[in-house]
Amino acid sequence: MKSIINLFMLIFFLHVGEVYAQTLYGTTLGEVSLYSDTPIETIQAVNKKSGAILNSSNRELVVQMKITEFVFPNKLMQEHFNENYMESERYPTATFKGKIKEQVDLETPGTYPVTAEGSLTIHGVSKPVTVKGQVVSNGTELKLDFKFQVKPEEYQIEIPSLVITKIAELIDISGKMSLAKR
């Protein structure tokens, strides 16, 4: 996972220009949860090893996670998620690359409602997304909370007709991350 974070940092440095003018915040232990609720079944899972880097100077944000790090209470459900739906061997990661729209000084302590716009890549498919959230800054650490929804069919995730009534049309995604100054 460290090599993934290092790769993100390199991408940031190449993309944004002069390294010395940047303040980066990051984590390798961010938490991302998914939740699906239908009258037949509730599905939930959590990934506690999501990586994120935020450049406070230009508000660019990258979040990446390994799909196989999602843990379900039911191991059979986890196996089906990875093998049948997400095809985790073929598409091992999900990635968000975007930018916080609001002109906020994230190095000044405070609570900031934010909107990030960017590209979400799941199952090998990239789509533009808008994610609402909140950043709480104490000056040296950022606490990031967010929520949004994804539609599996938009990411070419096939749900067999046998179980289509067990999986919600829209999957709730939420996250909590503590990013430390790098």
Side-chain angles (χ1 to χ4, degrees):
M1 187 61 152
K2 289 276 188 198
S3 62
I4 292 173
I5 295 299
N6 289 337
L7 175 63
F8 280 136
M9 291 179 86
L10 177 61
I11 291 169
F12 259 149
F13 294 153
L14 292 175
H15 180 67
V16 295
E18 297 181 9
V19 174
Y20 62 86
Q22 301 173 16
T23 302
L24 298 179
Y25 293 83
T27 185
T28 58
L29 300 173
E31 184 175 301
V32 175
S33 300
L34 62 87
Y35 180 81
S36 166
D37 190 32
T38 68
I40 296 173
E41 189 159 23
T42 298
I43 301 168
Q44 49 193 353
V46 65
N47 181 329
K48 293 185 178 183
K49 295 180 181 177
S50 301
I53 294 179
L54 174 62
N55 180 327
S56 68
S57 302
N58 61 15
R59 300 169 324 280
E60 288 186 352
L61 173 67
V62 176
V63 177
Q64 183 170 1
M65 70 201 73
K66 291 175 74 174
I67 298 299
T68 56
E69 294 294 341
F70 277 100
V71 177
F72 292 73
N74 177 324
K75 293 300 178 196
L76 184 58
M77 196 178 283
Q78 186 168 327
E79 183 179 318
H80 287 181
F81 173 79
N82 283 297
E83 292 177 9
N84 301 336
Y85 307 119
M86 297 303 290
E87 301 177 89
S88 299
E89 284 187 21
R90 187 171 175 195
Y91 307 106
T93 60
T95 306
F96 171 82
K97 294 179 186 177
K99 185 173 184 172
I100 294 174
K101 288 177 28 176
E102 293 78 10
Q103 296 286 332
V104 294
D105 181 359
L106 297 173
E107 294 186 55
T108 300
T111 300
Y112 307 100
V114 294
T115 305
E117 290 183 340
S119 178
L120 178 64
T121 303
I122 302 173
H123 200 246
V125 177
S126 297
K127 295 278 184 185
V129 294
T130 300
V131 179
K132 297 260 185 207
Q134 175 177 281
V135 176
V136 178
S137 173
N138 69 9
T140 59
E141 183 179 58
L142 303 176
K143 296 206 181 286
L144 175 63
D145 291 315
F146 58 87
K147 285 187 176 185
F148 64 102
Q149 294 182 315
V150 295
K151 203 174 205 176
E153 70 183 41
E154 290 181 349
Y155 293 91
Q156 299 177 2
I157 299 168
E158 294 181 25
I159 310 296
S161 59
L162 184 62
V163 296
I164 197 81
T165 56
K166 293 182 177 185
I167 299 173
E169 187 175 316
L170 289 171
I171 308 297
D172 295 324
I173 307 294
S174 61
K176 295 179 182 206
M177 301 184 172
S178 293
L179 287 75
K181 195 178 267 192
R182 302 289 174 170

